[in-house]
Amino acid sequence: MKVKLSVKPLAIVLSLFGATAALADINIGVSVSATGPAAVLGGPQKNTTQLFPTSIAGEKINWIVLDDGSDPTNTSKNVAKFLTESKVDVLITGTTTPGVMAAAGPAADSKTPLIALAPNRLDGEKFKWAFTMPQPIGLMAEPLLEHAKSKGYKTLGFLGYHPDAYGEVWIKALEATAGKYGISFGPIEGFARTDTSVAGQVIKLIGVKPDAVIVVASGSPAAMAHAALAERGYKGQIYQTHGAPSPVFLKNGGKSVENGILVAGPLLEWEQLPDSHPSKKVGGEYAKAYEAKFGKGSLSSFGGHMWDAWAIASRAIPVALKKAKPGTAEFRAALRDAIESEREIAGAHGVFNMSPTDHSGFDGRARVLLQVQNGAFKVVSK
C-alpha cells in the first residue's frame, strides 16, 4: 500500500508523478516497513522522507514511498513496481534484513543502485549494486566483546532472532570473533520476530548460567527478551545490538532494561558526543529537524539510516549527472560508481568511505557504547 505523506511539497511531487515522468526527473523508490512488527524501525524512516528536498543540482526529484507492512514478499512487489512502472534511478529499501535480501536480487539484475537500510551479507552482483547504511555487524560486535573481556566474562549466551537473517549474521560474527576475546559463545536460543514470550528460552539460558547474554533483536522484541531475562532473575550482564536502541525500547523495557549495555551509532545521543566528532553536527541537524516536525523525544536511530541514505545519494547524484541523464542505464551505473568512490561523507551514524570491497565504508567513528541509566541512554564509551 502507498504511505500517505503529510508534507505538502512531497505530496505534490508524489501526485504529479506518473509512469511517464520526464526523462530529466530523478526517481527514487523507497520501500520501508511503516506498519507491522518492524514499524518501530520503518516508521521513522518513512517520516524522514518528509524532510527531504524535491530537487537537486537543478533536477526535480520524485520520491515514490511505499509500505511493505514488514513483509519481505511485499518488499519484492514494491521493488518490482519501482523498476517496471516507476523506472527508478536508485532504491532506498529494506527496513529489515529479510527485506534487503528480497530487494537485492532485482536491484542487481536491473543494475539499479540499492541503498539498504538493514544489515546484510550480500555477495557477487548483489553486493556490487548494494550499499548498506547500518554499521557492519563485525564492527559493532567488537566493543561489546571488548567490554565483556574487560569484565572478565568467559561465556556469552545468545537470545534473539533465529532462524532469521539478522540473527544469523550476528551468530556468524560472534562465532568467528568471540574466541579472540577469550569468550565462549553459546548456547543459542532463538525466537521469531512475532513471538510474544520467550519464557522457555530464558529458562534454558539461565540453567546454563552464562556470564553474559546478548539479545539480538529490534524494537519491542528486544525489550521483551531483555525484560524476560531480568524478570526470571538473571543477574549477568545483558547486551543489546544496534537493532535495539530506540524510545520504544526504553518505554517498553522500563526498569527491566536498567544497566543494559547497547552498541549504537552516534546519532541517538549526539549531544553527548565531543564537538570534534564528525557526526555531531550532522546528527544534530537531523535530530532538530525531525523532532521539530514529529515531536520532542521522537528521534530514532533507524530514521538516521534514511537520513544517511540521502547524504550518500546527494553526494553521488551531482557527480553522476555530469556523465548521463536520469532514467538511463548509464546514469544508474554512474551513480553506483560515484557512491563507491566518494570520500569522507559525514552522516548521522558515522563517516562513509566506500570502496569496491567495502560497501558500508564505516570505521570506529560509527559506534558508541550506551548504558541504560535512570531510564535514559548514556554514552559510556566513544
Side-chain angles (χ1 to χ4, degrees):
M1 73 186 96
K2 283 194 176 183
V3 177
K4 294 182 180 179
L5 301 176
S6 59
V7 174
K8 186 175 181 181
L10 184 54
I12 292 173
V13 171
L14 290 174
S15 67
L16 291 176
F17 178 81
T20 57
L23 181 64
D25 290 358
I26 297 167
N27 299 322
I28 301 178
V30 178
S31 179
V32 293
S33 302
T35 59
V40 67
L41 289 69
Q45 293 169 352
K46 183 267 291 184
N47 290 344
T48 300
T49 64
Q50 298 183 34
L51 305 176
F52 291 154
T54 56
S55 66
I56 185 173
E59 303 290 349
K60 177 183 173 184
I61 303 173
N62 294 313
W63 293 93
I64 308 97
V65 183
L66 298 178
D67 176 17
D68 63 28
S70 302
D71 185 345
T73 301
N74 290 335
T75 307
S76 296
K77 293 177 181 178
N78 290 346
V79 170
K81 183 176 291 188
F82 290 148
L83 297 175
T84 59
E85 298 179 14
S86 306
K87 310 296 183 184
V88 299
D89 298 294
V90 60
L91 294 160
I92 303 177
T93 297
T95 294
T96 65
T97 301
V100 174
M101 305 306 285
D109 292 342
S110 62
K111 299 188 184 306
T112 303
L114 165 64
I115 302 181
L117 300 173
N120 56 78
R121 291 177 65 89
L122 300 174
D123 54 21
E125 282 295 298
K126 293 179 181 179
F127 172 84
K128 179 180 178 180
W129 288 92
F131 300 87
T132 302
M133 294 301 94
Q135 299 85 335
I137 302 302
L139 184 74
M140 302 304 267
E142 288 174 357
L144 294 177
L145 292 169
E146 288 171 356
H147 183 274
K149 181 180 179 180
S150 73
K151 297 297 183 179
Y153 303 150
K154 298 298 183 182
T155 54
L156 177 66
F158 174 100
L159 178 62
Y161 296 155
H162 174 66
D164 179 281
Y166 185 60
E168 296 309 307
V169 292
W170 268 95
I171 288 171
K172 290 180 180 179
L174 292 169
E175 286 177 338
T177 59
K180 300 175 183 178
Y181 294 84
I183 297 170
S184 175
F185 176 58
I188 296 170
E189 292 294 334
F191 62 90
R193 291 173 181 261
T194 55
D195 286 351
T196 57
S197 173
V198 291
Q201 297 93 321
V202 167
I203 290 172
K204 291 179 183 178
L205 274 174
I206 292 178
V208 178
K209 298 180 180 180
D211 295 331
V213 171
I214 182 168
V215 174
V216 178
S218 55
S220 296
M224 180 268 293
H226 196 125
L229 284 162
E231 290 164 3
R232 288 280 179 172
Y234 180 69
K235 301 300 183 183
Q237 179 64 58
I238 303 174
Y239 293 108
Q240 292 273 356
T241 73
H242 54 317
S246 70
V248 169
F249 176 82
L250 292 175
K251 179 180 178 180
N252 290 3
K255 293 183 179 180
S256 295
V257 299
E258 278 289 311
N259 299 314
I261 297 287
L262 309 87
V263 67
L267 168 63
L268 202 58
E269 298 302 330
W270 65 272
E271 292 178 291
Q272 298 182 43
L273 299 175
D275 292 342
S276 59
H277 197 293
S279 288
K280 183 166 188 175
K281 180 180 178 181
V282 179
E285 290 173 349
Y286 170 58
K288 292 173 183 177
Y290 190 92
E291 293 194 334
K293 182 165 184 59
F294 299 104
K296 186 174 179 59
S298 60
L299 182 68
S300 166
S301 63
F302 307 109
H305 296 314
M306 180 66 77
W307 188 257
D308 286 350
W310 175 239
I312 295 290
S314 64
R315 274 281 289 269
I317 287 172
V319 176
L321 285 170
K322 296 176 182 178
K323 299 182 178 181
K325 290 185 177 181
T328 65
E330 291 78 12
F331 180 74
R332 294 193 297 273
L335 188 58
R336 192 215 73 86
D337 293 346
I339 293 174
E340 193 174 79
S341 60
E342 287 295 298
R343 294 288 174 266
E344 289 294 294
I345 302 175
H349 277 294
V351 180
F352 296 90
N353 286 287
M354 308 285 189
S355 76
T357 58
D358 182 358
H359 278 195
S360 174
F362 280 125
D363 54 27
R365 294 173 289 182
R367 65 193 185 193
V368 298
L369 276 188
L370 305 176
Q371 186 170 36
V372 181
Q373 297 178 7
N374 299 317
F377 294 122
K378 300 296 181 182
V379 175
V380 294
S381 178
K382 303 177 181 66

